[in-house]
Amino acid sequence: MRITKVYTKTGDNGSTSLSDGTRVKKNSPRIISIGSIDELNASLGMILSAQPVEIISKQLYKIQNDLFNLGGEISTKDKNIKLVLVKDIKLLENSIDDFNSSLPPLKEFIMPRGSEVVSRLHFSRTICRRAEVDLVNLSQIEKINNNHLRYLNRLSDYLFVSARYQNSFDENNEIFWDK
């Protein structure tokens, strides 16, 4: 897709187009879901600008592309164009397992803070959870690809574990919930 003009004025009435040209209101559950995924993707860019460890950076570049694919599929109503696949979910699961294998077992809730990178990872995790809820809301009224929900669910887990992993490099102690 080539974007030749940023503003079209076609959305001035509160509507926008899906990929097939169908006009929908900007507050439709589908557009809300796409917007949450876009916000999540931008938050990953903020993590990358803070320079996480190399393995997380490398994975976040791929995840950003996955999120563009996911948003693109959601904007394509009633079609499964298969851009987000089970193998993408498996990659997240493998990364979670790899990171977890080098971390101490979690026995308490940890506070979502630490270095700048760790804090941004936790913040992105919360955005991911909201994006997942927005997609669940859409799935209650329209058919969606179940891989999309699975991907976002796994991504929030990945962001949590990657924050712990990054924290081990930043030489910060995890801060546990003081119950």
Side-chain angles (χ1 to χ4, degrees):
M1 170 188 273
R2 183 176 204 169
I3 298 173
T4 56
K5 194 172 185 180
V6 174
Y7 65 92
T8 62
K9 300 181 184 179
T10 58
D12 291 351
N13 66 354
S15 68
T16 191
S17 291
L18 296 177
S19 60
D20 67 357
T22 303
R23 301 294 295 177
V24 297
K25 288 292 185 184
K26 290 183 178 183
N27 66 346
S28 75
R30 186 170 296 277
I31 299 304
I32 288 170
S33 186
I34 293 167
S36 293
I37 291 164
D38 187 32
E39 181 183 1
L40 172 59
N41 206 340
S43 76
L44 299 184
M46 291 179 68
I47 295 167
L48 287 165
S49 71
Q51 301 180 337
V53 294
E54 184 177 353
I55 186 67
I56 293 174
S57 288
K58 187 176 177 182
Q59 291 170 347
L60 289 179
Y61 285 122
K62 181 193 181 321
I63 291 166
Q64 282 195 300
N65 279 297
D66 290 348
L67 290 175
F68 257 95
N69 289 339
L70 199 149
E73 283 190 357
I74 293 170
S75 75
T76 308
K77 189 176 177 180
D78 299 327
K79 289 184 182 175
N80 184 358
I81 51 179
K82 298 183 181 179
L83 296 175
V84 178
L85 303 170
V86 172
K87 72 178 179 93
D88 300 314
I89 298 164
K90 281 302 227 185
L91 279 172
L92 290 174
E93 291 172 348
N94 291 339
S95 296
I96 291 166
D97 292 342
D98 289 346
F99 289 166
N100 256 337
S101 70
S102 67
L103 296 170
L106 194 58
K107 297 177 182 176
E108 300 284 338
F109 288 108
I110 61 170
M111 298 302 289
R113 61 183 180 213
S115 69
E116 183 176 352
V117 173
V118 170
S119 296
R120 288 179 186 204
L121 284 160
H122 280 298
F123 188 68
S124 291
R125 175 186 50 79
T126 67
I127 295 170
C128 188
R129 288 284 188 213
R130 183 167 31 83
E132 183 182 7
V133 168
D134 289 341
L135 191 56
V136 167
N137 287 336
L138 174 61
S139 75
Q140 292 175 336
I141 58 173
E142 296 187 42
K143 185 175 171 35
I144 64 158
N145 181 337
N146 197 45
N147 281 342
H148 298 163
L149 281 174
R150 291 178 60 215
Y151 186 89
L152 288 178
N153 188 30
R154 219 62 87 244
L155 179 56
S156 65
D157 295 335
Y158 167 85
L159 292 167
F160 175 78
V161 174
S162 66
R164 292 192 70 215
Y165 186 76
Q166 176 71 43
N167 195 54
S168 70
F169 285 89
D170 293 347
E171 298 180 13
N172 290 321
N173 291 324
E174 292 180 318
I175 303 162
F176 295 102
W177 175 39
D178 183 16
K179 47 187 182 304

